[in-house]
Amino acid sequence: QKEVEQDPGPLSVPEGAIVSLNCTYSNSAFQYFMWYRQYSRKGPELLMYTYSSGNKEDGRFTAQVDKSSKYISLFIRDSQPSDSATYLCAMSQGGSYIPTFGRGTSLIVHP
Amino acid sequence: ETGVTQSPTHLIKTRGQQVTLRCSSQSGHNTVSWYQQALGQGPQFIFQYYREEENGRGNFPPRFSGLQFPNYSSELNVNALELDDSALYLCASSLPTRGGETQYFGPGTRLLVL
């Protein structure tokens, strides 16, 4: 079992839909949780950064962390074709920042 | 744009050869990390440099080595290339902060080993 599990998709949704992306993990020492967006042939770009459990909202994006279930989510409201990308979750134990990444979920938002 | 650049963008090598990949970090970012991203996978941590010293290493053999220079540039060297080394190589620069960092990734170098 990998430390971080993420469904690779692809996930295809119509424009305007609410998108839910998820990761599960096995290492209870993880404290920092990140979501990155990666467009084709580009490097990952940090979207959201959360410490411990709870919710964090930034515009159309909401990140949720449930440490008791070892489950994290990213919600995208009013999805746009420009949101089409691969979304990577990442997490770390803090201190010396060495994140462990999921394999990424490919999202396609069609007009 | 993140302000992190990498060169070259693409590279083709044959098995057994050596390769050097380069990264230029954001000014003032004294930490750089290198990752390997195979097709359809997430980035795998190779190593991190802080103030020109190796500051952590992932599960990669010694033929993967690096350097960081005072001008915020760095190198990843891979000796004795193997077919499985074919991947996207990413560098990420950051300032270390208490409990975590915001990393800025470059666009990557795509390496193909034949």
Side-chain angles (χ1 to χ4, degrees):
Chain A
Q1 182 190 13
K2 289 188 175 182
E3 270 194 306
V4 179
E5 298 279 0
Q6 186 175 12
D7 187 332
L11 177 62
S12 182
V13 301
E15 184 176 355
I18 296 175
V19 174
S20 172
L21 303 166
N22 311 293
C23 288
T24 60
Y25 63 94
S26 57
N27 188 344
S28 58
F30 287 142
Q31 298 184 69
Y32 295 86
F33 304 90
M34 288 72 66
W35 285 96
Y36 287 84
R37 178 175 62 196
Q38 186 173 24
Y39 289 113
S40 179
R41 304 193 179 281
K42 299 283 190 182
E45 168 196 11
L46 182 67
L47 281 177
M48 302 287 284
Y49 175 40
T50 309
Y51 171 71
S52 195
S53 285
N55 294 356
K56 185 174 183 179
E57 189 173 322
D58 184 1
R60 296 185 296 113
F61 300 91
T62 299
Q64 285 187 354
V65 175
D66 182 348
K67 290 187 72 178
S68 63
S69 301
K70 298 189 180 67
Y71 188 89
I72 69 170
S73 300
L74 177 71
F75 297 95
I76 307 174
R77 290 183 298 281
D78 188 25
S79 56
Q80 303 295 309
S82 59
D83 295 326
S84 298
T86 295
Y87 289 80
L88 297 153
C89 63
M91 42 201 82
S92 75
Q93 299 183 36
S96 178
Y97 179 89
I98 308 297
T100 300
F101 283 82
R103 62 181 299 181
T105 297
S106 175
L107 172 66
I108 302 168
V109 182
H110 51 86
Chain B
E1 296 300 322
T2 64
V4 180
T5 59
Q6 291 187 244
S7 63
T9 55
H10 295 83
L11 201 54
I12 300 175
K13 291 285 189 179
T14 56
R15 193 170 51 182
Q17 285 188 312
Q18 178 266 343
V19 68
T20 297
L21 311 180
R22 293 181 173 81
C23 172
S24 179
S25 303
Q26 281 197 25
S27 178
H29 282 195
N30 52 16
T31 300
V32 65
S33 302
W34 284 89
Y35 296 84
Q36 180 194 68
Q37 186 176 22
L39 196 62
Q41 301 296 319
Q44 297 291 312
F45 174 73
I46 303 175
F47 45 58
Q48 182 182 85
Y49 278 78
Y50 172 65
R51 292 185 174 178
E52 302 162 49
E53 298 284 335
E54 188 175 295
N55 187 42
R57 189 176 185 93
N59 189 26
F60 280 82
R63 58 189 186 85
F64 286 78
S65 63
L67 287 172
Q68 185 186 27
F69 303 101
N71 65 352
Y72 306 112
S73 67
S74 61
E75 289 180 355
L76 165 65
N77 298 288
V78 187
N79 294 321
L81 284 167
E82 301 177 359
L83 297 180
D84 284 348
D85 295 334
S86 295
L88 180 69
Y89 288 86
L90 297 159
C91 75
S93 75
S94 57
L95 286 169
T97 59
R98 179 181 171 81
E101 296 172 331
T102 298
Q103 295 191 105
Y104 296 89
F105 281 86
T109 293
R110 192 164 296 279
L111 173 65
L112 177 61
V113 182
L114 301 176

